[in-house]
Amino acid sequence: MATASRRSTLTVLTALAPISWGSTYAVTTEFLPPDRPLFTGLMRALPAGLVLLALARVLPRGIWWAKAAVLGALNIGAFFPLLFLSAYRMPGGMAAVVGSVGPLFVIGLSALLLGQRPTARALVAGIVAAFGVSLVVLKAAGALDSVGVLAAVASTASMSTGTVLTKKWGRPEGVGPLALTAWQLTAGGLLIAPLALLVEGAPPALDGRAIGGYLYLALANTALAYWLWFRGIGRLTATQVTFLGPLSPLTAAIVGWSALGQALTPVQLAGMALAFGATVAGQLAGRRMASVGRMGTGLPLAASVRAAGRASAEPAPRATAEPAARATAAPVARQPK
């Protein structure tokens, strides 16, 4: 019972990350300079990464310089610019719900990279979530921006791949989720910086409203939220984490309805309800997939991971490895003027 209680608490704390991300699109379109997705991604990632790096005071060693760079590119460096590009080019609610296809990406990648055979419940939950997404996107009033839709799908695929690889690689012995989060945010921010300068030019002038928006994104929406997210990935399955993603568009829809005066059609609401309902089923399916993945080895999961680490001559990763599912759907907001 105590273990179940701790797992429920961990799930709730991890869920705070996508709930926080549900405000990203609203903050982007209402507070930040328009049409600067790369600069916005940079301001969200690099300051947060440097703050966490100063707190953790641990640098990667050996192969982890390369692994941190890859994870930082997938979870941050590619994900953030694509996320903000979709936020700038289409209504936040539409772009946010596209992220609900994340569970299908993660289920497939988990089977390929983690040896976790998908259960029927996980597949059904993922298909239901995707169907809900299709109702929201295909039945939306008005024309959808194709570049925005592609950017939203690509951001979800990038984050999903990063989530599964983080789970596969784990963490170096003695390194906690704070340091792992710092490495990825810093690496991702450094990747975005030259692109932002080359593509968008010099940083725009910032007023108090924009500065407040960037501070919120960097500290609460990124530093704290990603620490909770990677911490959760270390203890939950990749499938369980990614099925928390629909909480982001749910929060986005609530923000859009309550603060921005946005409306959703009945068909869209039904689609969102289907996608969100898959979240609960996905938690149970993730536990089942974890137990299936352990079968056939004769060892508990932690022991199997350690054995694999020794066989590859790398430091044995901790049993509580991780990364982001963000199935990270993004949030609702008004289209920039």
Side-chain angles (χ1 to χ4, degrees):
M1 182 65 69
T3 301
S5 176
R6 285 196 296 269
R7 183 172 292 274
S8 297
T9 300
L10 176 63
T11 301
V12 170
L13 290 174
T14 306
L16 293 177
I19 289 174
S20 170
W21 295 333
S23 63
T24 303
Y25 281 4
V27 171
T28 299
T29 57
E30 300 300 311
F31 290 86
L32 305 184
D35 301 322
R36 302 303 287 266
L38 291 172
F39 179 75
T40 298
L42 172 64
M43 291 298 292
R44 183 182 178 189
L46 191 56
L50 293 176
V51 168
L52 294 185
L53 197 61
L55 292 174
R57 292 188 289 184
V58 177
L59 292 175
R61 286 180 290 186
I63 191 62
W64 270 97
W65 282 103
K67 288 184 176 181
V70 171
L71 294 177
L74 290 170
N75 290 327
I76 309 298
F79 173 66
F80 279 5
L82 290 168
L83 168 68
F84 287 112
L85 178 61
S86 66
Y88 281 120
R89 297 189 66 101
M90 59 190 295
M94 305 307 162
V97 180
V98 172
S100 295
V101 302
L104 290 176
F105 286 127
V106 170
I107 288 171
L109 289 169
S110 294
L112 290 174
L113 301 178
L114 303 179
Q116 293 180 350
R117 288 179 294 170
T119 64
R121 178 177 292 172
L123 289 173
V124 170
I127 292 171
V128 169
F131 179 67
V133 168
S134 69
L135 290 180
V136 175
V137 174
L138 299 180
K139 298 295 184 180
L144 290 174
D145 185 283
S146 58
V147 173
V149 172
L150 289 174
V153 173
S155 69
T156 300
S158 178
M159 186 69 152
S160 299
T161 304
T163 296
V164 176
L165 282 180
T166 305
K167 190 70 178 178
K168 179 179 176 65
W169 289 341
R171 298 194 301 265
E173 188 66 35
V175 172
L178 185 68
L180 184 65
T181 305
W183 298 348
Q184 295 187 55
L185 287 171
T186 303
L190 292 175
L191 178 64
I192 297 171
L195 294 176
L197 184 60
L198 289 173
V199 176
E200 297 178 352
L206 303 179
D207 56 17
R209 187 180 180 88
I211 291 173
Y214 283 127
L215 284 174
Y216 167 76
L217 288 181
L219 298 179
N221 189 264
T222 302
L224 177 59
Y226 270 87
W227 172 70
L228 290 171
W229 187 250
F230 288 121
R231 178 173 175 267
I233 291 177
R235 293 166 172 81
L236 302 170
T237 69
T239 300
Q240 283 178 293
V241 174
T242 197
F243 268 108
L244 294 174
L247 294 176
S248 181
L250 174 60
T251 304
I254 294 173
V255 170
W257 170 74
S258 62
L260 303 179
Q262 294 178 344
L264 294 171
T265 67
V267 172
Q268 288 175 291
L269 290 173
M272 294 181 76
L274 287 174
F276 303 151
T279 299
V280 176
Q283 297 305 303
L284 300 174
R287 296 182 188 180
R288 173 61 179 165
M289 286 178 65
S291 63
V292 170
R294 289 193 292 268
M295 294 175 62
T297 63
L299 295 171
L301 180 59
S304 300
V305 172
R306 286 195 294 271
R310 287 193 295 271
S312 63
E314 294 181 13
R318 294 178 55 176
T320 57
E322 63 229 15
R326 193 222 178 246
T328 200
V332 163
R334 212 158 38 207
Q335 184 124 0
K337 299 180 179 63

